[in-house]
Amino acid sequence: MEFLKKYNHTKNVRFESFKLALLEARERGLKTLVETGCSRGKIKFLFFPKMNWKDGMSTMIFSDYAKYMNGSLTTCDIEKKNINNAKKFVKENINYVNFIVDDSLNFLSSFDKKIDFLYLDSLDGQFKEASKHQLSEIKIAKDKLSMNSLVLLDDKGSKTNLSIDYMLKNGFKIINETKEQVLLSTQS
C-alpha cells in the first residue's frame, strides 16, 4: 500500500492510526468504506480549497484505499461546500467515491449496503451534542456492519466516550487507541 507514504506528513497527527486501520482493513479484505464527515480542507486566498493536514485528509486516504482494493467509499457531509472540496481532493479516485450531502443520521438510516469499514467524524468534538450524535450514528449503523468490520472513531475524549462504552457493551473490541482516534472491531 505504497499510497500511504504520501499521507505521512508532520501535520497529519492521525496518520499512524489511519495507517494501522487500513493495514488491518486490507488484512480482512474490507472493501465497502463509509465515512461521516468528509475532508473539508481550508480556504486559501478567499475561495481556493487547500488540504488541511490537521484534519487528517481522511476522504483522500480512504479513496486511495478503495481504489487499491477495487472497493468503494461513500462519504457524507451536511455541508455541500465540504463535499465539493472533497471531490476536488479525490479527483484521481472519483470513480471509487460516492458523495452524499445529508445529515449523517439520515444518511446512515437509509444506507442499504453492508459496511466493512466505518469512520465516524461528523459534528466536531467542540460541540456539546457531538458525543450523543456519534452514539446515535453507531446505534443506527451497528446492524449494517458486516462480519469482521472495523469502526474508527475520531476526536477521542471529546465525542467518543458514549459511543465507546456502548460499543464495548455490544461486543466490539478495541484494537488501537491514539490521542485522536479509537479503532474497534466487530470481531470477538
Side-chain angles (χ1 to χ4, degrees):
M1 294 197 332
E2 283 291 311
F3 68 86
L4 286 171
K5 289 181 182 177
K6 66 183 172 186
Y7 298 102
N8 191 3
H9 190 280
T10 55
K11 291 183 182 177
N12 188 353
V13 296
R14 290 166 176 79
F15 173 74
E16 288 301 325
S17 59
F18 282 144
K19 178 181 171 184
L20 185 130
L22 293 178
L23 289 172
E24 182 68 26
R26 180 188 66 185
E27 185 75 23
R28 295 175 184 218
L30 305 182
K31 292 186 172 191
T32 305
L33 288 77
V34 170
E35 168 186 53
T36 63
C38 68
S39 295
R40 303 177 290 232
K42 57 185 176 182
I43 301 303
K44 187 86 172 168
F45 303 117
L46 301 178
F47 55 88
F48 292 109
K50 180 183 176 212
M51 292 181 203
N52 184 0
W53 288 104
K54 291 180 182 178
D55 282 347
M57 302 309 292
S58 59
T59 308
M60 292 180 343
I61 196 169
F62 295 152
S63 75
D64 271 338
Y65 174 86
K67 181 178 181 179
Y68 174 82
M69 293 294 288
N70 196 29
S72 67
L73 165 65
T74 302
T75 185
C76 169
D77 200 286
I78 200 164
E79 295 288 338
K80 185 170 179 58
K81 68 179 178 171
N82 294 342
I83 290 289
N84 289 339
N85 286 346
K87 285 179 180 179
K88 292 173 187 168
F89 296 143
V90 302
K91 62 185 171 201
E92 293 176 15
N93 302 329
I94 201 89
N95 294 333
Y96 297 89
V97 185
N98 303 304
F99 296 93
I100 309 293
V101 178
D102 199 355
D103 175 84
S104 63
L105 301 178
N106 294 333
F107 159 69
L108 288 169
S109 293
S110 64
F111 193 75
D112 61 357
K113 297 176 188 164
K114 282 293 188 184
I115 301 169
D116 293 331
F117 184 99
L118 177 62
Y119 182 51
L120 298 180
D121 189 23
S122 63
L123 200 58
D124 290 333
Q126 72 264 24
F127 296 104
K128 67 177 184 172
E129 64 273 12
S131 197
K132 287 182 182 177
H133 185 81
Q134 189 178 78
L135 175 62
S136 295
E137 286 177 324
I138 193 58
K139 283 182 174 180
I140 292 168
K142 183 173 79 76
D143 293 333
K144 298 175 187 242
L145 295 171
S146 63
M147 293 270 292
N148 217 17
S149 64
L150 295 171
V151 179
L152 185 60
L153 306 175
D154 197 52
D155 294 337
K156 180 184 168 200
S158 62
K159 68 180 175 187
T160 59
N161 297 331
L162 296 175
S163 49
I164 290 172
D165 289 344
Y166 172 82
M167 293 172 78
L168 292 175
K169 288 176 184 169
N170 282 276
F172 289 82
K173 177 177 102 176
I174 294 176
I175 294 177
N176 187 52
E177 284 185 75
T178 65
K179 253 176 39 177
E180 294 82 18
Q181 298 181 320
V182 179
L183 178 65
L184 297 104
S185 171
T186 56
Q187 182 182 32
S188 49

